[in-house]
Amino acid sequence: MIRFAPGLADRLARLALALASIAVVTSCGSGAVGPSTIVNDPTQITIQPGQCTVAGTTVTCNNPAILYSGLPTTFVITGGTGSYILSSNNQAVLPVSGNISGSSVTLIPSPVLADTDVILTARDTGTTPIATAKATVKPGTVANNITITPTSAQSAACAPAICSGGDALVSATISQGGIPLPARGVRFDVVTGDFRFVTTDPVTGVETLSASVTVFSDQAGKVSARIRANAGAANQTALLQVTDIGTGAFQRTSFVIVQSTGSSPGFFVTPTEITFQGARQNECASFGISASVFVFGGVPPYTVSNSGSGAFSVTPTFISSSGGSYSVTPLGPCVSPGLPIVVTDSAGHTATTTVSNIQGTTAAPPLTALPAKVTLSSCTGAASVTVAGGAPTGGVYLASPGSNAITASATGNVVTIQRATSPATAGPVFVGITDGITTTSVEVDLVGQGAGACPALIASPSSVTLSSCSAVPVTISGGTGPYAAVSSDSSVFVPSGTFVLTFNVVRTSPSASFTGPATVTVTDTNNPSRTISIPVTATGIGAGSGTGPC
């Protein structure tokens, strides 16, 4: 038998009766409709709870509905045509305006610092007189300051989480409008997770584990409860709820439970799986997106090993303390099944996150090229086409001419088309453009001089013999210029960059002896298909012996 101190039983009985009275008085404010009879009359609209009465031009609202910030309350509307429009005169506190579906609507008041009155107006789609209801929104009672503090008895390696088998203290404050509410009944509940609340019999000292426990706030409105993670709990995120019994107001908070594994308590990474996905079909994610992986427990510091360095970028690869993190970024290649990214602590324990990169499911827009038809009217002109759509790998399109009469090159999403050196061509000819999966084409009409024979490059002289250390000038004509020259032999020097008409060929100084032949190739930079080769030989001083005199 449990014995109470003198007078304690009487005080507890009175407290229980008071709490029961509170529950009855405030029940209509926690989401239930009040006991008033609802009239379903096509000639009038009824809104409950909190409906005001109308006598002539006088509107009386004696029994407002009691609502609490953050808690849902259901209003029922009947009568009239059955189709209703509901509005609030204070949208910041009780947001509702417009048609409602059916004959009921559930509203959730916004946070308030003091009791705030709101008038609701209900009208139908006909001419039935409007109905009004008054609601008083009261501040929520469970402050958003829930704290969970692990006890000092558990391993510090689990911090800031709770070790499996470890205890922690949960604390919250019950107040309204900043005023603490003492002697308030508060219930703590397990929402999800492998943990329980601990209560201790004050006489026997026996501990009891339960999914729910009720406590009372002290003079400062503070309530506390003790929780214990199950001894075999795996790494997880748990969720608990603190409910003010008198109003039904509640707050939820989450915390982490880590599995204690002997010499390396709570060593884990979260998340353990990451899947990136491309924006479109046939396309995997690349750059512009990343995910963070957090490391807890074990024996810091940690090193991060990336087995998919060609598919993912990982930074940093060194983490100094528990609770640190690294970022993983996809580089474009599709990866499925995933590749492991392994974190190793200083004691050699490992924890792995598997990372995948899969194709998207949204179809890419069709590949288009505009204009779809261009005209070349000379051997020196060019036409530009803008490409869009498709799913180009790395954002790169490819272009290929369907005839040796033209050249086509893609830079970004612009394709440049020109005449190539060739005999007269009647046309039309076509350029194929692809994103690597689908293809479109552009018609190229050749007219006037563009259909004629385009002259090749001409070099004067057509060959060069170096007989001294002096430079030999070569003039290029044909094409559009400017031109660029390159030598096949390092002993023959030609200028870098481009030139307009004439360039010099000369022996390189100093260089080994040279007898040739070598080849200097000149290219029309506006149309790389136009080239000419100039043979180069050397005699006498121009050839030299050993290290040449030049």
Side-chain angles (χ1 to χ4, degrees):
M1 172 180 288
I2 300 176
R3 296 183 181 274
F4 296 99
L8 178 59
D10 182 65
R11 289 197 299 273
L12 289 176
R14 289 199 300 271
L15 179 59
L17 180 59
L19 288 175
S21 300
I22 292 173
V24 171
V25 171
T26 61
S27 62
C28 65
S30 57
V33 175
S36 301
T37 302
I38 295 175
V39 180
N40 195 347
D41 184 346
T43 66
Q44 67 175 3
I45 299 173
T46 300
I47 177 172
Q48 294 288 356
Q51 180 159 1
C52 302
T53 59
V54 180
T57 59
T58 303
V59 179
T60 304
C61 304
N62 290 325
N63 299 299
I66 304 301
L67 285 65
Y68 290 89
S69 297
L71 284 181
T73 297
T74 299
F75 290 84
V76 175
I77 307 174
T78 63
T81 63
S83 297
Y84 308 105
I85 301 170
L86 184 66
S87 61
S88 158
N89 73 337
N90 192 334
Q91 295 291 323
V93 174
L94 201 59
V96 59
S97 180
N99 297 324
I100 65 170
S101 177
S103 60
S104 66
V105 60
T106 300
L107 306 179
I108 302 177
S110 302
V112 296
L113 297 178
D115 288 2
T116 304
D117 292 334
V118 180
I119 300 298
L120 294 174
T121 302
R123 67 187 70 220
D124 66 4
T125 54
T127 59
T128 310
I130 64 173
T132 58
K134 182 178 180 180
T136 298
V137 179
K138 294 179 174 292
T141 56
V142 183
N144 190 22
N145 64 346
I146 302 172
T147 60
I148 299 178
T149 307
T151 60
S152 58
Q154 71 174 6
S155 172
C158 293
I162 302 174
C163 286
S164 56
D167 287 7
L169 184 68
V170 183
S171 298
T173 301
I174 309 301
S175 62
Q176 195 163 43
I179 301 174
L181 299 177
R184 196 81 168 190
V186 177
R187 188 178 68 250
F188 289 82
D189 294 292
V190 174
V191 178
T192 182
D194 295 331
F195 73 99
R196 290 294 182 266
F197 292 95
V198 184
T199 56
T200 304
D201 188 297
V203 178
T204 64
V206 175
E207 293 183 340
T208 302
L209 301 179
S210 60
S212 180
V213 65
T214 299
V215 298
F216 295 92
S217 59
D218 63 15
Q219 290 300 313
K222 183 177 180 180
V223 289
S224 298
R226 182 176 159 208
I227 61 173
R228 177 174 298 163
N230 297 348
N235 299 325
Q236 62 188 270
T237 298
L239 190 66
L240 64 79
Q241 178 172 301
V242 182
T243 304
D244 173 22
I245 298 174
T247 64
F250 65 88
Q251 293 281 358
R252 289 181 175 180
T253 191
S254 62
F255 61 97
V256 175
I257 299 173
V258 298
Q259 190 174 50
S260 181
T261 54
S263 61
S264 185
F267 179 42
F268 73 104
V269 293
T270 182
T272 56
E273 291 187 5
I274 297 173
T275 299
F276 294 103
Q277 186 172 32
R280 300 190 179 101
Q281 293 175 355
N282 304 309
E283 177 183 312
C284 290
S286 62
F287 306 99
I289 184 174
S290 62
S292 295
V293 178
F294 292 86
V295 185
F296 295 96
V299 184
Y302 317 94
T303 56
V304 185
S305 300
N306 179 15
S307 65
S309 57
F312 303 103
S313 169
V314 171
T315 182
T317 57
F318 178 84
I319 301 172
S320 61
S321 60
S322 177
S325 66
Y326 67 86
S327 295
V328 55
T329 303
L331 302 180
C334 296
V335 177
S336 182
L339 294 174
I341 297 178
V342 181
V343 177
T344 306
D345 72 357
S346 60
H349 301 92
T350 60
T352 301
T353 295
T354 302
V355 186
S356 307
N357 192 2
I358 62 176
Q359 296 180 4
T361 57
T362 302
L367 181 66
T368 59
L370 294 175
K373 182 178 180 179
V374 298
T375 299
L376 295 179
S377 57
S378 71
C379 288
T380 59
S384 295
V385 174
T386 301
V387 187
T393 303
V396 176
Y397 297 98
L398 301 175
S400 59
S403 166
N404 60 6
I406 58 175
T407 64
S409 60
T411 303
N413 68 332
V414 176
V415 174
T416 302
I417 304 170
Q418 294 178 284
R419 269 300 309 270
T421 301
S422 68
T425 302
V429 294
F430 294 86
V431 172
I433 301 172
T434 181
D435 62 354
I437 301 173
T438 58
T439 301
T440 188
S441 62
V442 174
E443 179 181 330
V444 183
D445 289 344
L446 305 175
V447 299
Q449 293 181 355
C454 290
L457 300 185
I458 299 173
S460 179
S462 59
S463 62
V464 173
T465 298
L466 298 174
S467 58
S468 70
C469 293
S470 299
V472 176
V474 177
T475 301
I476 303 297
S477 60
T480 61
Y483 311 98
V486 61
S487 172
S488 65
D489 193 307
S490 61
S491 295
V492 176
F493 175 80
V494 293
S496 59
T498 61
F499 60 93
V500 177
L501 186 63
T502 300
F503 74 104
N504 291 324
V505 181
V506 66
R507 274 297 307 277
T508 303
S509 175
S511 65
S513 60
F514 168 72
T515 58
T519 301
V520 171
T521 302
V522 177
T523 302
D524 184 348
T525 57
N526 268 328
N527 193 332
S529 68
R530 294 175 182 160
T531 62
I532 187 172
S533 297
I534 303 169
V536 180
T537 57
T539 61
I541 297 175
S545 177
T547 299
C550 299

